[in-house]
Amino acid sequence: MLETVEQETGASPEWAVIWLHGLGADGHDFAPIVPELVRPQWPAIRFVFPHAPKRPVSINNGMPMRAWYDIVSMDFRSRADATGVAESVQQVEALIAREQARGIPLQRILLAGFSQGGAITLSAGLQRREPLAGLIALSTYLPEVDAAAAQLVPGATVQPIFMAHGSADPVIPLQVAEHSAQVLKDLGFALQWQRYPMAHQVCAEEIHALAEWLQARFTQA
């Protein structure tokens, strides 16, 4: 089981959000977003921020760092190490199972991620036969996008997706993210797409839009 940082917004959480960080960061990276995101009327939520394992990253001269997968190419169609992606998806599945064991049903668990973490979020979402409450993919893309239709399992497309990106992102070009979003829409996902004048980061407008999207999830439950 991955080590995690956890925050609970109230006693006896009814919902869980598992949030995956980006390359070289750790579980503490997005913890400060909780007070900016959460609204007073929301149900109690457990935010789970796991630490990715440390592994050598090829494009960084093999330097070990926290990463959800190795980056083996500059071509986004083959950029992600498929074995590493699969391993991380399984580790995330273990975290989801733990939340179920703690009494939170799948329909009240959301999976979120930024950059590499978002790539794992989307990969995991494609393969979930029992759908989660939703997927949140920030400044990211879908690995192995050409194989997405083959990887999709029955029932997965009922999971709504919030996907947002910066128009000046120098790490993951906007058109790469837009292509991933279009592929997911074509597969049948209900996807809300947001674009902001920013780089590889998160902005206040994005957090507000995400809060609105989450509000709809809580209302529909």
Side-chain angles (χ1 to χ4, degrees):
M1 187 72 67
L2 295 173
E3 293 183 12
T4 60
V5 175
E6 296 188 4
Q7 289 190 36
E8 296 183 357
T9 64
S12 303
E14 301 171 43
W15 288 73
V17 178
I18 300 171
W19 197 308
L20 312 180
H21 62 76
L23 177 66
D26 64 20
H28 295 284
D29 197 38
F30 275 91
I33 207 171
V34 172
E36 298 179 50
L37 179 65
V38 172
R39 295 179 175 178
Q41 71 272 25
W42 284 1
I45 307 166
R46 177 184 297 116
F47 284 87
V48 179
F49 301 98
H51 301 304
K54 289 185 178 178
R55 69 182 81 217
V57 176
S58 295
I59 63 160
N60 289 344
N61 297 316
M63 182 182 300
M65 61 184 63
R66 292 198 182 277
W68 296 108
Y69 52 84
D70 188 16
I71 299 175
V72 295
S73 168
M74 297 308 293
D75 182 349
F76 279 88
R77 292 179 184 273
S78 57
R79 179 180 179 87
D81 162 44
T83 300
V85 170
E87 289 173 354
S88 288
V89 167
Q90 288 305 308
Q91 288 174 315
V92 169
E93 287 295 335
L95 292 173
I96 292 170
R98 186 174 70 174
E99 291 310 304
Q100 287 183 277
R102 288 165 147 180
I104 299 181
L106 288 174
Q107 61 267 31
R108 292 190 175 186
I109 299 174
L110 295 119
L111 185 58
F114 175 82
S115 194
Q116 264 207 348
I120 297 301
T121 292
L122 293 175
S123 293
L126 274 180
Q127 301 168 50
R128 277 217 63 88
R129 296 183 185 278
E130 297 178 279
L132 301 175
L135 309 171
I136 300 162
L138 310 179
S139 299
T140 193
Y141 69 105
L142 179 62
E144 299 182 285
V145 67
D146 295 333
Q151 293 175 356
L152 181 68
V153 301
T157 57
V158 303
Q159 299 168 113
I161 301 175
F162 179 93
M163 195 168 178
H165 212 85
S167 57
D169 192 325
V171 178
I172 301 171
L174 177 65
Q175 59 267 30
V176 171
E178 286 179 330
H179 178 61
S180 292
Q182 189 59 55
V183 167
L184 291 164
K185 286 181 180 179
D186 292 345
L187 289 174
F189 285 93
L191 187 146
Q192 179 175 325
W193 170 257
Q194 303 282 149
R195 183 172 119 179
Y196 300 96
M198 63 180 184
H200 196 62
Q201 61 193 99
V202 174
C203 66
E205 295 85 356
E206 181 180 14
I207 295 171
H208 177 76
L210 175 56
E212 290 290 314
W213 183 86
L214 285 169
Q215 176 72 44
R217 308 282 81 73
F218 300 142
T219 302
Q220 292 168 9

